[in-house]
Amino acid sequence: MTKARDFVQRPLPFFETDEAPVAPLTTGKVPSYLADHRKRLRTRFLSGGAQALPDYELLELVLFRAIPRQDVKPLAHKLLETFGDFNAVVSAPIVRLSEVKGVGEAVICELKIIEAAAHRLARSRVINRPVLSGWDALIDYCHTTMAHRDTEQFRVLYLDTKNTLIADEPQAEGTVNHVPVYPREVAKRALELNASALILVHNHPSGDPTPSETDISMTHQINTACNALCLTLHDHIIIGKSTELSFRSKGYL
């Protein structure tokens, strides 16, 4: 007769056993409420899409693959309590995710696959496309890649003569409230790419996109360098948690 201990959850073959410990299943099989719950969630997702599920249930779907034989609802709630919402969980730094009890390499891998897929999908909607006529898609892309970062990042979007996005490059990484930027390097890279125009983008981890005096001064320095090289600086966008600020629309450029 098969013993109950034979049915204790085993890890996925590609990962070490660093997930939350699982209690032995006394019935010798997966409880029906767990199997039925997963089936119901998948059915609701396939029939109604993501909008049919709250954040914690969408997160459960992601966790199913990492933890195949355990009730993952408590962990989903714990992750949301820790980071705030689904987007923040998926975008959370690996170090912070690993501090949550029950989160191991398999869970982190699944979350980061989701994050990478979101970034690639958003990028595909803007790269090699006219930026100024697809401004909303560009803003969505910037929010997807930067809004939930816990440190500042400065990116430069390089455009050709038709304002088509030809390159999107992180220029510098910083701290929670500062990122070093070198105007000469920005202009030099534009020449290397044969770009005609550029858009500056950086995030404010505080969530408030209001520019600092340093942000304004740095933007003017880059604009001066661009003018000297016949490059056009279209805008500088600061990304907050749920909104953004355009230097051009606010009169800073």
Side-chain angles (χ1 to χ4, degrees):
M1 179 179 295
T2 303
K3 297 181 181 178
R5 60 183 175 83
D6 290 337
F7 292 89
V8 176
Q9 176 194 337
R10 291 179 173 80
L12 293 178
F14 298 111
F15 303 103
E16 298 177 358
T17 55
D18 54 359
E19 303 302 333
V22 185
L25 302 176
T26 57
T27 61
K29 61 180 181 180
V30 178
S32 60
Y33 73 88
L34 280 183
D36 292 345
H37 174 63
R38 293 186 174 210
K39 182 178 179 180
R40 286 195 301 270
L41 271 189
R42 291 187 177 109
T43 299
R44 284 169 52 204
F45 176 74
L46 291 174
S47 61
Q51 63 271 21
L53 305 178
D55 277 4
Y56 80 90
E57 289 185 332
L58 191 61
L59 192 52
E60 281 188 76
L61 284 174
V62 177
L63 296 175
F64 286 169
R65 285 176 50 81
I67 307 176
R69 294 174 59 86
Q70 181 183 336
D71 182 3
V72 297
K73 185 182 295 185
L75 180 57
H77 281 294
K78 180 64 176 177
L79 286 167
L80 290 171
E81 289 170 7
T82 302
F83 298 106
D85 60 21
F86 183 87
N87 292 334
V89 172
V90 171
S91 304
I94 291 175
V95 172
R96 290 196 61 201
L97 285 169
S98 64
E99 293 172 351
V100 178
K101 185 178 180 181
V103 172
E105 187 176 343
V107 168
I108 290 172
C109 185
E110 291 296 329
L111 293 174
K112 291 306 162 184
I113 289 173
I114 298 297
E115 182 185 29
H119 287 186
R120 289 202 178 188
L121 180 60
R123 188 174 188 272
S124 71
R125 292 171 175 166
V126 296
I127 197 69
N128 296 323
R129 296 170 184 263
V131 167
L132 301 185
S133 61
W135 194 253
D136 289 344
L138 178 69
I139 295 300
D140 287 345
Y141 169 64
C142 293
H143 273 284
T144 298
T145 55
M146 303 178 74
H148 295 283
R149 293 181 56 86
D150 58 0
T151 57
E152 285 197 17
Q153 182 187 65
F154 183 82
R155 305 176 76 97
V156 184
L157 310 181
Y158 297 96
L159 316 177
D160 65 12
T161 55
K162 296 181 179 180
N163 287 320
T164 296
L165 180 61
I166 57 175
D168 161 32
E169 299 183 352
Q171 185 74 18
E173 304 282 344
T175 63
V176 294
N177 58 8
H178 174 70
V179 59
V181 179
Y182 304 98
R184 181 177 177 180
E185 293 301 315
V186 173
K188 177 183 176 183
R189 184 58 177 155
L191 293 178
E192 291 174 348
L193 293 168
N194 197 29
S196 296
L198 46 89
I199 297 171
L200 311 178
V201 187
H202 86 278
N203 64 305
H204 279 182
S206 67
D208 181 1
T210 303
S212 66
E213 290 299 323
T214 301
D215 293 335
I216 296 172
S217 175
M218 174 268 293
T219 303
H220 288 164
Q221 290 177 41
I222 293 178
N223 194 33
T224 298
C226 287
N227 288 334
L229 296 171
C230 297
L231 297 170
T232 300
L233 176 59
H234 282 307
D235 209 341
H236 182 176
I237 304 167
I238 300 180
I239 301 296
K241 290 294 184 185
S242 58
T243 187
E244 71 285 335
L245 179 140
S246 161
F247 271 53
R248 181 70 64 184
S249 65
K250 292 296 183 180
Y252 293 111
L253 273 176

